[in-house]
Amino acid sequence: MSTEHRDRLLEGIGWKARGDRVPEFPNPRPFFPRLKHSIKLIPLFVRVALHTFVEWWNGREAFIDIFNVFRHFTFTGVPLGGIGSGSIGTDFRGGFNRFSIIPGIKEQTDTQKCNQFIASVHSKKTFELIYQSILSCAEFPSTVLPKWDSTIPAEDVRYRGLFPRAWQEFRLGSSGITVVIEHLSPVIPNDYSDSSLPLANFDFHVFNDSPEEVEVSITMAFRNGTGNRKWNDEHLCTSQKVQKETQVVRTLSHTVKGMPVTYAIGTEEKNGAKVTTCLFDPNGTGGRLWSDLEAYGHLSSYDNLPPKPKELGIAVCSSFFVPPDGSHTTQFSLSWYMPEVHFGTAERFYNRRYCRFFNGPDADEVAAAICRHGLQNIEKWQEAIEKWQNPIINNQKLPEWYRSAIFNELYYIVDGSTVWFEYDPDWRTEENLISEQTEKQFREYGRFGYMESWEYFMLNTYDVHFYSSWAILKNWPEIEMSMQLDFADQVDRIDNGTATSLADGDQMLIKSYDRIPHDMGHPTKYCIQEHRLSVADPWLHTNAYILHDTGSWKDLNLKFVISCYRDYKMIAKDREDKDQLLEFFLGKCTKIVEDALESWDKDKDGMIENDGFADQTYDVWKMTGTSAYCGSLWLAALTCYIEMLKQAGSPSKNYEGKLLNAYDAYITKLWNGRFFKFDELPDNSKIVMADQLCGFWALTAMDEPVQVSEEKMKLALETIFKYNVQMYNDGKCGAVNGFLTSERVDGSSIQSEEVWAGITYALSAMMIEKNMDEMAFKTSEGLFESIWNRFPLQYQTPEAITSDGMYRALGYMRPLSIWAIQHALDRRHKK
């Protein structure tokens, strides 16, 4: 590989940083409400605080723990792992951190000194040590492995991330040696096997720019646990060396939160490389391993364990010669085999998706097999990822920031505390509403879940998934179909248990009939709550969210109807079982539409009304009467329902009349000549809402008719761009949710003052649909540049930011909506 090619690895499209990077705003802070809002929120805060304390007292976690807010990690890099396999975070300076191998949990652990690559360079001629260092410029406590006392100067480290790959460059002082590591996880569109693997590959390119031939040793070390002290010594550790032909793997079996897990590091003896392995004490000095590398360039290959260790480290070393002005490549793979897992209740155990492809009674052998699979397929996966990404990356008509963002924002599909399980027939004994249609889908593609946020403990939050689902639909459509069918089965479910609404203190049912649940449950609760019918395991107990009674929310059911038709049209229309699927969705949607007309259309004009509280995804932003947001969703849902009726050959004329009436009412009540008013309250007439066209965006993305003129929609988009984007911090932050025509931010709500990343991306998608490309890319560029460059929030995109450097809900689902932008571009290209 030439020096020119080496530079291209670090200088191509992607998120880039040097080891000494200092962003413009290095210390953004977690959200805290302004005094004005704090006073209003005192009753809510008291109820939330009391709820949090009661949950803690009973050994549970609140669904949102306001006293344990996630802090950003300035040096976050591309996470490792397949979809739903559990992920491992990285530090762009070098190292691993913030594990998420416990279902539903993202741990806030620091970069571990034990989990590192070490480079050693010796003269071939004299075998004099030229250089040895950890491949990291991170700072570590001096008391941890004190003999590992050398790191790389920060200015000699470069990084480029383009999910699911990343490249790190380390210049080894004056030795003339440069090491470039490519990180790769096998996350590949329309792949439902390799994409599920608990695996990361590391492709090393070692360059020798010196006039002397050298021996280079690359060592990968890893310890048990996740960096969380709770799991460091909870069980005995064992290790095996597993060799098959030229491939050498060292395993480490232990438990994390009581669940067996086997780590494995693998490499291959090829191209003249010599492989050695060893064990080490992660609580010791690290002297034996370090001195072996210094003296010999390889590890002492002993297999005897200390007596019954509860903490253990493993290391694998590949040593090879690099000629002067030459290069050498070697590969490592890291796997973490944790096949059977449970949530907090431990009432039910789940097999991860990859158990379909890699499973067996000998965990060491299976973990080693996954490593070998990685080593054998790295080039195949590189080609597959490039084939997927290159059409976008090489499209010079697209802005450079977008070509990075579209893939890097996809990090959450792996790192969103994601789970992907194989179907278990026993589920139907406890979940008797799982339909045959859903069971068939689960058997083939499994069951999927991801958290709303790293700090919002709710699985598959549906009002948010409406936006983020575009990333899944575009890349893994069968996962999206599994999720939609999963929610369809919930329509008829009832949970007569009660809870106290934290917003108003009223008692409410956990889950009402004919209502889509807000979420599929809480991953960490492990006690049965009083008055509830089921144990607190996701899917068995839905609606962990109890801020409001979401049975009264207007958007959840409407988003479900829209998504049923979208998924039928875009995923299932060419399937053999399309008619059965349409009939299944139509049955659920009929109940929802009829109930909406009966319960929510108070004045019988065909248009639904909000009830004067925050009865939709903006859950502290109240809407009264007909609102732009829910009204547009209702028009979209009714349109989709009519289209499903027509596809099924059922009468639709009655609903077509209602749709026309609803459009008339919506336009009459809300259109003011420049935009659709927030709702019917006169006090809110000056609010320009960024998300006012949400339902029309959904219809446009499906290529379905919108009975609002193009002129009106473009005028509304231009107004949003003028006020919510350009007048908010000069367009540097994206689209603020609410802005007043009096030219100031709408301060009526906490959420009206925020910029929501996922909403900004969705807004840009609508602009693209209307051929307003320059406006669209300017809208989202400010957002992306703020989160990923001005603030150090890369690979941890929050739900919300503000121009003064606050963020809320790190690691969030909704920003995956950026894939709606790509969908709009793809639609145009096809036309």
Side-chain angles (χ1 to χ4, degrees):
M1 183 183 290
S2 66
T3 302
E4 185 178 325
H5 188 191
R6 175 181 71 192
D7 289 339
R8 281 204 302 270
L9 292 178
L10 274 299
E11 294 171 3
I13 295 295
W15 182 82
K16 287 165 276 192
R18 211 168 74 160
D20 56 357
R21 172 182 184 251
V22 179
E24 182 182 346
F25 292 95
N27 296 305
R29 59 198 189 280
F31 165 79
F32 193 84
R34 293 192 295 119
L35 180 61
K36 168 187 173 181
H37 296 306
S38 298
I39 294 171
K40 294 179 181 178
L41 292 172
I42 288 174
L44 172 62
F45 175 79
V46 171
R47 284 190 289 269
V48 170
L50 181 60
H51 168 73
T52 303
F53 174 77
V54 170
E55 294 291 284
W56 171 80
W57 183 261
N58 287 285
R60 304 184 292 260
E61 288 189 72
F63 68 98
I64 298 176
D65 187 351
I66 62 173
F67 300 109
N68 187 28
V69 177
F70 255 64
R71 301 281 175 170
H72 72 281
F73 181 64
T74 298
F75 308 104
T76 300
V78 173
L80 304 173
I83 301 172
S85 65
S87 63
I88 297 176
T90 66
D91 184 324
F92 72 72
R93 302 169 301 174
F96 307 89
N97 55 30
R98 298 202 168 194
F99 286 59
S100 185
I101 63 175
I102 301 169
I105 303 299
K106 177 74 168 175
E107 297 189 79
Q108 296 189 72
T109 50
D110 294 329
T111 301
Q112 302 297 298
K113 192 174 184 180
C114 304
N115 301 339
Q116 290 291 338
F117 291 107
I118 301 168
S120 310
V121 182
H122 291 83
S123 166
K124 181 183 180 184
K125 190 174 183 179
T126 66
F127 209 72
E128 177 186 357
L129 178 68
I130 298 173
Y131 195 92
Q132 181 162 302
S133 176
I134 296 171
L135 290 180
S136 177
C137 62
E139 297 180 0
F140 302 103
S142 59
T143 54
V144 177
L145 298 171
K147 293 295 184 181
W148 298 15
D149 57 359
S150 177
T151 55
I152 307 292
E155 63 271 18
D156 289 336
V157 176
R158 287 196 296 166
Y159 183 88
R160 176 168 76 98
L162 189 68
F163 180 86
R165 301 163 81 186
W167 294 263
Q168 288 173 304
E169 179 189 76
F170 300 93
R171 296 196 299 272
L172 307 189
S174 60
S175 68
I177 304 298
T178 301
V179 178
V180 176
I181 315 171
E182 177 189 338
H183 302 210
L184 182 149
S185 299
V187 180
I188 300 163
N190 295 300
D191 179 289
Y192 300 92
S193 53
D194 287 348
S195 290
S196 71
L197 296 179
L199 175 72
N201 283 329
F202 305 94
D203 193 7
F204 279 77
H205 302 272
V206 181
F207 300 89
N208 180 8
D209 296 329
S210 78
E212 178 185 4
E213 185 166 10
V214 295
E215 182 181 49
V216 175
S217 302
I218 301 294
T219 302
M220 185 176 189
F222 224 78
R223 67 155 294 158
N224 70 298
T226 63
N228 187 329
R229 293 178 183 176
K230 292 179 181 179
W231 331 126
N232 275 356
D233 60 354
E234 70 171 9
H235 197 268
L236 294 179
C237 299
T238 61
S239 177
Q240 297 290 331
K241 179 181 176 181
V242 182
Q243 184 161 359
K244 187 174 183 180
E245 298 176 346
T246 60
Q247 294 169 331
V248 181
V249 179
R250 168 63 74 175
T251 66
L252 174 55
S253 294
H254 57 293
T255 67
V256 169
K257 202 177 181 184
M259 292 175 278
V261 58
T262 300
Y263 297 157
I265 301 171
T267 189
E268 191 167 5
E269 293 179 324
K270 65 178 184 178
N271 300 329
K274 176 184 178 182
V275 176
T276 52
T277 75
C278 80
L279 311 175
F280 68 94
D281 180 0
N283 294 318
T285 66
R288 169 104 186 238
L289 183 153
W290 195 259
S291 61
D292 280 352
L293 292 173
E294 284 182 329
Y296 313 118
H298 59 78
L299 303 170
S300 297
S301 187
Y302 62 92
D303 290 308
N304 294 324
L305 292 173
K308 297 183 179 180
K310 285 194 170 183
E311 297 186 66
L312 186 64
I314 60 173
V316 176
C317 173
S318 177
S319 305
F320 44 84
F321 293 106
V322 189
D325 296 318
S327 64
H328 187 95
T329 62
T330 191
Q331 289 83 34
F332 283 78
S333 61
L334 171 69
S335 68
W336 47 101
Y337 177 61
M338 194 177 190
E340 189 177 64
V341 294
H342 59 76
F343 292 105
T345 62
E347 288 284 331
R348 189 158 83 171
F349 287 78
Y350 302 83
N351 288 322
R352 294 198 191 263
R353 167 73 175 177
Y354 59 76
C355 291
R356 171 179 286 215
F357 315 106
F358 291 92
N359 205 357
D362 189 330
D364 295 288
E365 288 290 344
V366 178
I370 296 172
C371 272
R372 289 194 296 268
H373 185 71
L375 294 170
Q376 292 163 358
N377 287 280
I378 185 168
E379 292 182 2
K380 170 188 168 184
W381 293 335
Q382 287 169 333
E383 291 174 4
I385 292 169
E386 288 170 4
K387 182 180 179 181
W388 165 41
Q389 295 185 339
N390 280 349
I392 296 173
I393 291 172
N394 296 332
N395 187 347
Q396 300 295 322
K397 294 180 181 179
L398 297 173
E400 184 174 328
W401 72 265
Y402 173 77
R403 289 179 275 162
S404 167
I406 188 64
F407 297 109
N408 277 322
E409 289 287 17
L410 202 55
Y411 81 95
Y412 199 74
I413 202 71
V414 160
D415 206 27
S417 305
T418 311
V419 294
W420 191 4
F421 297 140
E422 274 290 274
Y423 177 67
D424 184 343
D426 288 343
W427 292 349
R428 292 193 78 178
T429 62
E430 298 170 299
E431 299 176 74
N432 55 19
L433 291 176
I434 291 180
S435 63
E436 291 183 6
Q437 197 78 36
T438 305
E439 182 184 34
K440 178 182 175 182
Q441 182 76 13
F442 281 175
R443 285 185 182 278
E444 184 63 27
Y445 296 105
R447 192 178 219 175
F448 179 82
Y450 60 158
M451 301 304 293
E452 180 178 337
S453 164
W454 292 337
E455 50 187 313
Y456 290 2
F457 297 111
M458 292 164 283
L459 197 75
N460 293 350
T461 300
Y462 196 75
D463 57 301
V464 184
H465 175 70
F466 177 75
Y467 298 88
S468 58
S469 61
W470 282 102
I472 304 174
L473 174 68
K474 293 289 288 182
N475 294 294
W476 298 276
E478 296 297 348
I479 292 180
E480 164 57 22
M481 182 58 75
S482 289
M483 296 183 71
Q484 187 64 12
L485 286 166
D486 209 355
F487 272 97
D489 289 339
Q490 296 290 327
V491 172
D492 297 333
R493 187 172 181 274
I494 302 173
D495 186 337
N496 286 319
T498 60
T500 301
S501 165
L502 300 180
D504 54 29
D506 293 339
Q507 289 293 295
M508 61 187 186
L509 285 180
I510 296 298
K511 167 67 174 71
S512 304
Y513 182 71
D514 280 356
R515 294 291 187 270
I516 293 297
H518 172 274
D519 56 82
M520 287 296 193
H522 192 309
T524 67
K525 292 187 178 184
Y526 59 89
C527 295
I528 300 176
Q529 286 190 279
E530 190 177 1
H531 307 309
R532 289 186 168 173
L533 298 181
S534 58
V535 299
D537 222 32
W539 292 294
L540 294 174
H541 168 213
T542 61
N543 277 343
Y545 177 94
I546 57 170
L547 182 61
H548 297 286
D549 178 3
T550 57
S552 299
W553 275 21
K554 305 303 180 293
D555 63 335
L556 287 166
N557 277 14
L558 307 183
K559 289 171 177 175
F560 173 77
V561 175
I562 295 167
S563 298
C564 280
Y565 180 59
R566 181 198 66 178
D567 290 358
Y568 165 74
K569 182 175 183 177
M570 298 179 65
I571 303 173
K573 204 165 185 182
D574 296 325
R575 288 173 30 165
E576 291 183 3
D577 64 345
K578 63 176 183 179
D579 293 338
Q580 296 95 315
L581 190 66
L582 177 62
E583 182 182 358
F584 178 71
F585 280 155
L586 192 54
K588 305 294 183 180
C589 293
T590 297
K591 298 176 184 179
I592 286 172
V593 170
E594 291 292 346
D595 183 75
L597 287 166
E598 177 67 27
S599 303
W600 297 342
D601 180 12
K602 305 292 174 52
D603 54 7
K604 303 305 175 186
D605 60 357
M607 173 52 62
I608 65 168
E609 287 84 34
N610 294 85
D611 286 330
F613 73 100
D615 52 356
Q616 27 65 40
T617 196
Y618 298 90
D619 57 359
V620 293
W621 199 2
K622 298 177 182 179
M623 297 179 184
T624 301
T626 297
S627 66
Y629 182 70
C630 290
S632 71
L633 287 170
W634 168 244
L635 294 170
L638 200 50
T639 300
C640 290
Y641 178 62
I642 290 168
E643 287 302 314
M644 283 191 279
L645 287 172
K646 290 179 178 179
Q647 294 277 348
S650 300
S652 62
K653 185 170 288 188
N654 179 47
Y655 295 101
E656 290 175 51
K658 292 182 185 297
L659 179 62
L660 287 174
N661 292 338
Y663 267 111
D664 287 343
Y666 184 81
I667 294 170
T668 300
K669 291 177 179 179
L670 300 181
W671 180 251
N672 66 5
R674 290 182 297 165
F675 60 93
F676 291 98
K677 292 184 290 185
F678 180 76
D679 63 11
E680 291 190 75
L681 280 184
D683 289 348
N684 292 338
S685 62
K686 293 182 178 180
I687 299 175
V688 182
M689 185 188 191
D691 206 11
Q692 63 185 265
L693 302 178
C694 184
F696 304 145
W697 159 60
L699 288 176
T700 305
M702 290 186 281
D703 201 22
E704 294 296 332
V706 178
Q707 297 181 44
V708 171
S709 70
E710 286 288 302
E711 180 187 14
K712 284 185 174 67
M713 286 191 282
K714 286 189 173 183
L715 271 172
L717 290 170
E718 288 168 357
T719 301
I720 294 166
F721 184 70
K722 174 184 176 181
Y723 288 101
N724 303 63
V725 180
Q726 289 183 308
M727 287 189 181
Y728 185 72
N729 200 34
D730 296 323
K732 293 179 181 177
C733 276
V736 69
N737 283 335
F739 207 92
L740 302 177
T741 53
S742 54
E743 301 189 0
R744 58 189 175 88
V745 173
D746 172 30
S748 64
S749 159
I750 290 170
Q751 291 172 340
S752 63
E753 299 177 345
E754 296 178 325
V755 174
W756 286 9
I759 300 304
T760 293
Y761 287 142
L763 172 63
S764 293
M766 182 57 165
M767 291 172 171
I768 296 282
E769 296 281 7
K770 298 303 174 186
N771 298 308
M772 305 164 79
D773 294 24
E774 182 179 359
M775 190 181 295
F777 286 125
K778 282 183 178 179
T779 295
S780 285
E781 179 180 14
L783 172 88
F784 181 78
E785 288 296 329
S786 284
I787 291 174
W788 288 72
N789 293 319
R790 295 171 65 223
F791 307 152
L793 300 178
Q794 70 283 351
Y795 304 106
Q796 48 197 322
T797 307
E799 159 78 314
I801 61 170
T802 59
S803 60
D804 59 353
M806 278 202 295
Y807 60 81
R808 181 172 60 78
L810 280 180
Y812 201 80
M813 289 166 59
R814 205 182 319 250
L816 288 169
S817 64
I818 191 172
W819 277 87
I821 296 178
Q822 190 56 41
H823 174 70
L825 294 168
D826 290 344
R827 276 192 352 106
R828 180 187 300 171
H829 179 72
K830 288 177 183 177
K831 284 183 178 180

